[in-house]
């Protein structure tokens, strides 16, 4: 390929990203409980969110790639097989347990520094809660009944002070979330949950950078410094140096992406050399927290579509709706549907349907409606 950048069209770039996200084939991770572990390991993380207007996003992200996915598959991976765990990436996420050592440095930071959010947590309160778990076993916030309730000082806070104590212990890595029922979390000592005689060796900062770049290349196909360090600005200078080192070793190729201007992109040579078939017209109803959607600037660059998350936008100013879902048809965002699950009447309601794609709409409506019916069956499955 020489030293000149590889010229990459938007359509080619989209297909590379869709292939990396495993959205271009049916059941790419197989079926059954093992598919959940495989999907999380390939993607690197699956974001968790509390909004339940429809199915919570972590279940939807997995369903999108695993047609036979069931919610108890994720519970088995987290609680029984212990192949995934919860921690912070760019947001709270399910992460492969095999990658845990890359997060031990962040846990150590929380043990050595106290962020303003945890300023009110006293060491004696932390010791008390940990002693309670050590003695009585894993617990939820509901099991702590000796709290003196306080006024909430933040919309996401709790009237129980012990909730913030448990959160700090979680970020410090002393406890982990061993089970999740809806959004109710069960906390267990990390060492006891994983059965450690001794914890894994923490990754070095260089190893963490390698891990983040490899994760991005695997799940994005074509990467930029911004996409590899999403919401992790302090690592950007070092990430750029790592990319340049790999470029010199010819492990990466510089890519000139159509319409990207001066924003640089890179890919592995084998990814660019591999034949990419025209995108099949697969239909996916995507969560706004799906890995294909949540990096808004990247999404707009590759797909020409600007997603708006309007749950916190006044009703009269919404364009797509409260919890709008982009609809991927082939390699185009064809429509956006604002959905709501009526659990009493057992129906998936389409609150608003907005066409945003440029291709034939009449031929696509039926296929989108079929995908919505499949999604409804998943939504309402017991």
């Amino acid at each position: 390929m020489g030293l000149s950048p590889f010229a990459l069209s938007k359509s080619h770039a989209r297909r590379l990203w869709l292939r990396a996200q495993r959205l271009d084939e049916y059941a790419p991770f197989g079926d059954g409980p093992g598919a959940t572990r495989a999907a999380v390991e390939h993607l690197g993380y699956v974001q968790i969110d509390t909004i339940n207007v429809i199915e919570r996003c972590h279940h939807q992200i997995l369903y999108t790639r695993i047609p036979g996915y069931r919610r108890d598959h994720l519970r088995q991976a987290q609680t029984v097989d212990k192949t995934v765990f919860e921690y912070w990436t760019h947001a709270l996420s399910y992460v492969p347990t095999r990658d845990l050592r890359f997060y031990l440095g962040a846990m150590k930071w929380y043990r050595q520094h106290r962020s303003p959010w945890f300023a009110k947590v006293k060491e004696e309160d932390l010791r008390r809660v940990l002693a309670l778990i050590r003695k009585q076993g894993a617990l939820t916030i509901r099991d702590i009944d000796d709290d003196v309730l306080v006024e909430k000082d933040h919309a996401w806070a709790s009237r129980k002070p012990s909730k913030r104590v448990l959160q700090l212990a979680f970020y410090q890595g002393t406890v982990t979330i061993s089970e999740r029922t809806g959004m109710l979390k069960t906390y267990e000592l990390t060492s006891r949950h994983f059965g450690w005689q001794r914890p894994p060796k923490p990754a070095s900062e260089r190893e963490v950078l390698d891990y983040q770049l490899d994760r991005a290349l695997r799940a994005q196909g074509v990467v930029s410094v911004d996409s590899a360090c999403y919401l992790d600005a302090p690592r950007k200078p070092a990430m750029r140096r790592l990319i340049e080192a790999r470029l010199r070793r010819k492990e990466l190729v510089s890519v000139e992406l159509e319409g990207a201007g001066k924003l640089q992109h890179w890919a592995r040579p084998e990814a660019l050399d591999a034949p990419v078939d025209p995108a099949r017209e697969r239909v996916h109803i995507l969560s706004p927290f799906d890995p294909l959607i949540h990096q808004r600037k990247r999404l707009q660059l590759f797909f020409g579509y600007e997603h708006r998350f309007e749950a916190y936008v006044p009703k009269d100013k919404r364009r797509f709706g409260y919890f709008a879902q982009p609809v991927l048809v082939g390699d185009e965002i064809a429509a956006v549907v604002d959905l709501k699950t009526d659990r009493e009447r057992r129906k998936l309601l389409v609150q608003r349907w907005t066409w945003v794609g440029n291709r034939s709409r009449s031929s696509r409506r039926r296929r989108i409606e079929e995908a919505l019916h499949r999604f409804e069956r998943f939504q309402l499955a017991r």
Side-chain angles (χ1 to χ4, degrees):
M1 291 187 184
L3 297 177
S4 58
F6 182 93
L8 193 64
S9 68
K10 286 278 186 74
S11 61
H12 191 181
R14 286 195 297 271
R15 293 197 294 273
L16 289 174
W17 192 8
L18 292 172
R19 183 171 64 187
Q21 280 290 306
R22 298 297 188 262
L23 290 170
D24 64 342
E25 56 183 305
Y26 182 80
F29 301 106
D31 205 354
T36 294
R37 172 196 54 77
V40 177
E41 288 181 349
H42 177 82
L43 296 172
Y45 58 83
V46 169
Q47 186 173 338
I48 300 168
D49 193 79
T50 60
I51 296 176
N52 69 336
V53 174
I54 59 168
E55 184 53 84
R56 289 189 171 93
C57 70
H58 39 284
H59 292 305
Q60 184 178 352
I61 291 166
L62 291 168
Y63 161 78
T64 299
R65 294 157 178 84
I66 308 170
Y69 170 75
R70 298 204 312 263
R71 294 159 188 80
D72 62 353
H73 292 168
L74 183 55
R75 180 189 176 279
Q76 179 172 333
Q78 179 175 25
T79 305
V80 181
D81 301 336
K82 302 173 185 177
T83 53
V84 304
F85 72 104
E86 295 186 29
Y87 204 67
W88 193 266
T89 54
H90 71 282
L92 185 62
S93 303
Y94 286 102
V95 183
T97 301
R98 71 175 190 185
D99 297 343
L100 191 146
R101 73 187 195 95
F102 298 106
Y103 295 86
L104 294 178
M107 296 174 186
K108 182 179 179 181
W109 187 92
Y110 276 102
R111 292 195 294 272
Q112 295 177 339
H113 303 82
R114 187 63 63 91
S115 74
W117 176 255
F118 298 115
K120 293 182 180 180
V121 175
K122 299 176 181 177
E123 287 299 323
E124 54 264 34
D125 293 332
L126 190 58
R127 288 193 294 268
R128 176 182 62 84
V129 170
L130 292 176
L132 188 63
I133 299 175
R134 195 172 291 114
K135 181 180 179 180
Q136 298 185 9
L139 55 76
T140 72
I141 187 62
R142 294 178 185 175
D143 298 318
I144 300 176
D145 54 14
D146 61 348
D147 267 345
V148 177
L149 301 186
V150 298
E151 290 299 318
K152 295 172 65 169
D153 59 0
H154 191 280
W156 296 341
S158 169
R159 295 189 66 212
K160 282 191 171 185
S162 292
K163 181 172 182 180
R164 200 164 296 191
V165 177
L166 285 167
Q167 287 175 330
L168 176 58
F170 167 77
Y171 282 106
Q172 291 180 343
T174 312
V175 302
T176 192
I177 298 169
S178 60
E179 187 172 3
R180 181 184 280 270
T181 306
M183 297 308 289
L184 180 65
K185 295 169 280 193
T186 299
Y187 294 89
E188 173 63 289
L189 298 176
T190 302
S191 57
R192 196 158 64 191
H193 175 71
F194 289 111
W196 291 340
Q197 295 298 318
R198 62 179 63 184
K201 181 182 178 182
S204 67
E205 179 59 20
R206 172 56 191 267
E207 289 174 324
V208 172
L209 283 165
D210 277 322
Y211 163 71
Q212 288 190 340
L213 179 54
D214 289 337
R215 182 180 68 185
L217 288 163
R218 183 178 67 243
Q220 298 173 10
V222 179
V223 305
S224 65
V225 170
D226 288 346
S227 74
C229 292
Y230 181 60
L231 297 184
D232 191 6
R235 283 198 169 105
K236 286 184 180 181
M239 181 61 73
R240 179 171 290 278
R241 291 193 294 271
L242 174 60
I243 289 172
E244 290 170 351
R246 290 197 186 187
L247 197 62
R248 289 193 296 271
R249 297 196 299 267
K250 299 184 179 180
E251 295 171 7
L252 293 179
V253 172
S254 180
V255 169
E256 187 175 289
L257 176 59
E258 178 188 1
K262 295 182 179 180
L263 182 61
Q264 293 178 289
H265 289 80
W266 299 269
R268 289 189 173 116
E270 57 269 26
L272 297 174
D273 289 340
V276 180
D277 297 328
R280 297 179 182 178
E281 290 274 288
R282 299 197 183 280
V283 179
H284 295 293
I285 314 298
L286 296 174
S287 165
F289 303 113
D290 192 278
L292 194 79
I293 302 299
H294 70 67
Q295 292 200 36
R296 306 281 192 252
K297 291 182 180 178
R298 176 181 168 88
L299 178 70
Q300 185 172 16
L301 174 61
F302 280 62
F303 285 85
Y305 163 72
E306 182 181 9
H307 186 70
R308 288 163 53 96
F309 183 67
E310 298 179 330
Y312 307 119
V313 173
K315 188 174 182 179
D316 60 340
K317 295 184 179 180
R318 292 174 192 157
R319 177 185 171 194
F320 297 135
Y322 178 84
F323 200 57
Q325 311 273 299
V327 181
L328 178 72
V329 182
D331 68 344
E332 182 186 45
I333 306 293
V336 186
V337 288
D338 182 26
L339 303 178
K340 180 179 180 180
T341 300
D342 186 330
R343 293 174 174 88
E344 290 187 5
R345 292 194 293 157
R346 296 187 58 74
K347 288 184 177 181
L348 179 66
L349 308 178
V350 180
Q351 312 274 75
R352 185 182 302 182
W353 181 312
T354 307
W355 288 104
V356 294
N358 297 317
R359 300 174 195 167
S360 171
R361 295 176 179 179
S362 58
S363 63
R364 289 180 163 189
R365 178 177 282 275
R366 179 182 58 83
R367 301 193 61 233
I368 294 173
E369 288 175 343
E370 290 172 352
L372 285 168
H373 284 303
R374 292 193 297 271
F375 189 46
E376 180 180 55
R377 289 193 293 272
F378 166 69
Q379 289 277 305
L380 299 174
R382 298 291 187 185

